[in-house]
Amino acid sequence: MHRLGMPVSDDTILRQLKRDNPASIQEDNIRVVGIDDWSWRHSSRYGTIMVDLEGHSVVDVLDERSVESAKAWLRERPTIEVVSRDRCGLYAQAAR
């Protein structure tokens, strides 16, 4: 963030995305979701980001990367028809 001229931490950006995201109001209408992970701390702690691929917006940010958390998130949104993910097997298990 410093290189972009934004003197804030990555955690602050993620918190603001999660708190201020207008798409969170329309979560019930998500049909196509993208799931990906990132490292909170280099190679030690990971999180998960959920993106509405039709609405082009971040829907949620999960504090961990696990089958259980992704599965629970998907289960709460029965309108989801398509899940786009990377090759990580965790998200394949969650989507199934």
Side-chain angles (χ1 to χ4, degrees), residues 9-20 40 61:
S9 71
D10 296 344
D11 290 341
T12 300
I13 296 295
L14 292 171
R15 262 194 316 277
Q16 288 178 345
L17 279 172
K18 192 171 183 178
R19 185 189 68 217
D20 298 334
W40 288 95
V61 177

Side-chain angles (χ1 to χ4, degrees), residues 1-93:
M1 297 309 299
H2 179 71
R3 283 189 275 165
L4 294 173
M6 302 174 78
V8 296
S9 71
D10 296 344
D11 290 341
T12 300
I13 296 295
L14 292 171
R15 262 194 316 277
Q16 288 178 345
L17 279 172
K18 192 171 183 178
R19 185 189 68 217
D20 298 334
N21 183 17
S24 63
I25 297 168
Q26 301 172 2
E27 276 188 27
D28 297 337
N29 301 327
I30 300 170
R31 196 179 68 81
V32 181
V33 68
I35 303 176
D36 203 0
D37 58 5
W38 79 92
S39 178
W40 288 95
R41 294 194 125 172
H42 185 65
S43 299
S44 65
R45 186 171 160 239
Y46 293 88
T48 302
I49 188 165
M50 307 295 195
V51 178
D52 178 351
L53 294 179
E54 292 180 316
H56 307 286
S57 59
V58 175
V59 178
D60 206 352
V61 177
L62 307 180
D63 292 334
E64 63 179 11
R65 175 182 70 173
S66 71
V67 173
E68 294 79 22
S69 64
K71 185 189 300 185
W73 191 92
L74 291 167
R75 191 172 280 149
E76 292 173 4
R77 290 153 186 86
T79 59
I80 294 175
E81 298 174 15
V82 178
V83 176
S84 175
R85 59 174 184 81
D86 61 10
R87 293 181 289 170
C88 179
L90 297 173
Y91 300 133
Q93 290 176 5

